[in-house]
Amino acid sequence: MQMSARFRLLDLSHQAVGKEVWIVGDIHGYYGLFSELLRQIDYRPDTHLVVSAGDLVDRGENSPAVVQWFRENGYAVRGNHENMWLDMWAMHGLPYGESGELSSEWLPWTKQSAFLVNGQAATLAQFLDAGVPAQEWLDYLASLPHAIVIGDYLIVHAGVNPDRSFEEQDIDTLTWVTHGFVDYPGEIPPTARMGKRLVVGHCETFLFGPIGEPVIRPDRVHIDLGTANGIGLAAFCLNDERMVIVDAPEREWQVPKIQVYLQKARVPW
């Protein structure tokens, strides 16, 4: 199902019938946390439908395992980290060939600080070590829809522009730019979200709510607790609005660091 030439929308309403449906926040390659979350929701392929809100890769210990799991078992929307890889691929070709040698086009970029800070250098090394052909996993990232509909819910990675109808949204907005979405006063207009309740990741909830807690509103649910910041991974059940949270091992000493950051940034939480 396609709503616009600018972005791809996938409707999973039929596949969700009779299933327990869980939307998982930004995993960022933390396969250990994700595996524990699957254990806590008692995941079984015949009874559960698992959807990622995007950012499957970068920063965690095993991005290849996360990608492989969703290729075989689940669904995901495209996040900004997926888009960054696809943009680099479009500009510089595949990062490595069958021999496992990095492309000369990529070598200068692998030394850039952003490539290191975003976790892409580690991700590239992980896929090389796992022996996964670059074409294979990049093709999968390119296949991801930008939005998923399941019944009364709309799943996107970053959010929507409140001033546009959903048909007028663009890929940058759905995966990257929130255009005042997070701090929008009141409810996001129904036309901007297809009249459905949004489930989103991307922006860590500690920036506009208590550390380590999801932000639940009538029109939208924010579930990126800050996995990449050592807080934890969350999943939201569409059937009954249960929330399951798996704390990161380093959460205890990461919380004070985030509190200091928030105080300096004058965020009132």
Side-chain angles (χ1 to χ4, degrees), residues 106-143:
W106 278 72
L107 284 173
W109 292 98
T110 61
K111 297 176 174 60
Q112 297 292 319
S113 59
F115 198 75
L116 298 170
V117 171
N118 282 325
Q120 292 173 289
T123 296
L124 188 56
Q126 289 165 12
F127 277 104
L128 276 167
D129 290 345
V132 183
Q135 186 81 49
E136 183 178 308
W137 61 276
L138 287 170
D139 275 346
Y140 172 71
L141 299 187
S143 75

Side-chain angles (χ1 to χ4, degrees), residues 182 204-215 217 262 267-269:
V182 171
E204 297 93 339
T205 56
F206 59 70
L207 294 174
F208 53 101
I211 297 174
E213 295 183 19
V215 173
R217 297 176 179 170
L262 295 176
V267 176
W269 303 110

